[in-house]
């Protein structure tokens, strides 16, 4: 079984990598050569937020879909949630 297909995956990956590389270059300039303390804090805070987001994505994707509840609907008409279409009422 194959996963979902992302259109233009190569372009998405290249654009994302370019954006991260550009922000990394800007971040290095801000932290190493800039004298603006507020901008340094902003850049460091952005990288911290990115790290939290990456960890959350990893945690969610590694545990998602591994456990299924026993009483979860299976898509059959006898399930607690009706999945069969109703007949039109006259």
């Amino acid at each position: 079984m194959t996963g979902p297909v992302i259109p233009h995956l190569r372009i998405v990956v290249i654009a994302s990598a370019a954006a991260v590389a550009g922000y990394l270059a800007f971040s290095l300039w801000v932290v190493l050569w800039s004298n603006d303390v507020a901008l340094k804090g902003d850049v460091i805070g952005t990288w911290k937020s990115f790290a939290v987001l990456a960890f959350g994505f990893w945690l969610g994707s590694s545990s998602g879909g591994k456990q299924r509840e026993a009483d979860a609907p299976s898509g059959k008409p006898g399930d607690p949630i009706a999945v069969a279409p109703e007949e039109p009422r006259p």
Side-chain angles (χ1 to χ4, degrees), residues 74-84:
S74 61
K76 297 179 183 169
D79 286 341
I81 300 172
V83 293

Side-chain angles (χ1 to χ4, degrees), residues 43-86:
V43 166
I44 292 170
T46 300
W47 281 107
K48 286 170 57 178
S49 297
F50 179 71
V52 169
L53 176 69
F55 177 74
F57 178 77
W58 170 79
L59 185 63
S61 64
S62 65
S63 62
K66 290 186 179 178
Q67 184 176 0
R68 181 186 164 126
E69 295 179 17
D71 60 345
S74 61
K76 297 179 183 169
D79 286 341
I81 300 172
V83 293
E86 290 186 18

